[in-house]
Amino acid sequence: MRREPPKEDIERPASAPKPDAQKRQVSDADELRRHFDAYSSFVMANLLWAMVGLAVVTLPVATVALMTVMSERVRGRQPDVIWTFFTAVRQKWRTATLLGLIDAAAIGFIVINISIVGRMQADELMFVVSGAVTLFVGTIVLSVNVYMWALLALEDLPVRRVIEMSLRFALAYPLPTFGVLGASAALIAVSLLLPRGVFVFVTASAVAYVTAWGSWRVIRRHLTGEELRRFSGQADA
């Protein structure tokens, strides 16, 4: 009579991974891939901005292209960085250049005023008046820039319309605007204390992302339901 081997001696087939474990492994891999794509696109956008804006006169075009990429990310999309960047360059270079010239004129006015104020005596009335005017104009210019490039990143609007809307947002929402300016200034200050490579690879994208994030939370309050769905990517679903 044949003797059966003990149950503990019988080799059992290896149990297949549980479905939950498989799903967890897949989700972890996807999460890692998303993080890698996010960081690599962040660096790529910064490098493109640095290369295109190297000529200085092309800096406004590079800035609006970088803002377009970061605006897409803030609104929950995963853009193709190179295609999105150079599409923005091609479509918005005229408006961006005009805005850059207006910015340059405003900055020139501020610099001239600062040089004039510096030659005045501190106890003169004109010193106080000119200093206050220069500070006010400088604050307005910075505040308008928070929304100006973000609006142009959303849509290629006429220059006058971009400036009007940006000024309206800057005056209506001073606290969020100053918050964005403060965060951007802090990022730039920290990057200056770090190796120079940080500015080349990270700083511009970080400032653009913070600006896009803060300005989008103001701009979306004034969009219609259809515009909000379109800019948020829900209309594409």
Side-chain angles (χ1 to χ4, degrees):
M1 185 173 182
R2 185 179 180 183
R3 182 182 176 184
E4 295 183 358
K7 293 183 178 180
E8 56 271 14
D9 295 338
I10 299 176
E11 294 184 0
R12 297 181 181 179
S15 58
K18 295 181 179 179
D20 292 342
Q22 288 181 331
K23 290 180 180 179
R24 194 178 302 112
Q25 291 175 356
V26 173
S27 63
D28 290 343
D30 289 342
E31 187 70 18
L32 182 61
R33 190 179 300 109
R34 281 195 295 268
H35 282 300
F36 177 77
D37 290 342
Y39 294 138
S40 61
S41 62
F42 211 74
V43 172
M44 175 63 72
N46 205 109
L47 289 173
L48 290 174
W49 175 83
M51 289 187 294
V52 175
L54 192 62
V56 179
V57 293
T58 56
L59 190 58
V61 180
T63 299
V64 75
L66 177 63
M67 281 294 296
T68 301
V69 174
M70 294 303 151
S71 178
E72 293 275 334
R73 295 194 60 83
V74 163
R75 289 179 282 123
R77 298 179 177 179
Q78 299 295 328
D80 182 315
V81 175
I82 296 177
W83 185 88
T84 303
F85 189 95
F86 285 105
T87 298
V89 168
R90 178 174 54 83
Q91 294 178 347
K92 303 171 183 178
W93 70 269
R94 291 183 181 86
T95 308
T97 302
L98 287 174
L99 290 175
L101 291 174
I102 294 171
D103 251 353
I107 293 171
F109 171 81
I110 294 169
V111 170
I112 292 172
N113 265 24
I114 290 174
S115 65
I116 293 173
V117 171
R119 297 174 185 174
M120 295 180 179
Q121 298 295 327
D123 56 350
E124 293 182 11
L125 178 61
M126 285 303 297
F127 174 85
V128 177
V129 174
S130 298
V133 169
T134 303
L135 180 61
F136 176 77
V137 172
T139 303
I140 291 296
V141 169
L142 288 174
S143 300
V144 166
N145 271 270
V146 169
Y147 300 101
M148 190 167 69
W149 301 106
L151 284 168
L152 188 57
L154 287 174
E155 196 164 354
D156 191 10
L157 299 169
V159 171
R160 182 175 178 179
R161 180 66 173 159
V162 170
I163 295 176
E164 287 178 352
M165 293 178 68
S166 300
L167 183 59
R168 188 182 308 166
F169 291 149
L171 296 176
Y173 301 94
L175 291 180
T177 304
F178 291 151
V180 171
L181 289 174
S184 300
L187 286 171
I188 294 172
V190 170
S191 70
L192 293 176
L193 301 176
L194 298 174
R196 294 181 181 179
V198 174
F199 187 85
V200 176
F201 291 105
V202 176
T203 303
S205 287
V207 171
Y209 187 89
V210 168
T211 304
W213 183 87
S215 59
W216 171 242
R217 272 142 188 77
V218 170
I219 293 171
R220 69 181 181 182
R221 301 179 188 181
H222 298 267
L223 298 177
T224 64
E226 181 181 351
E227 289 173 332
L228 187 59
R229 286 190 297 272
R230 176 161 62 92
F231 290 130
S232 299
Q234 298 175 10
D236 300 334

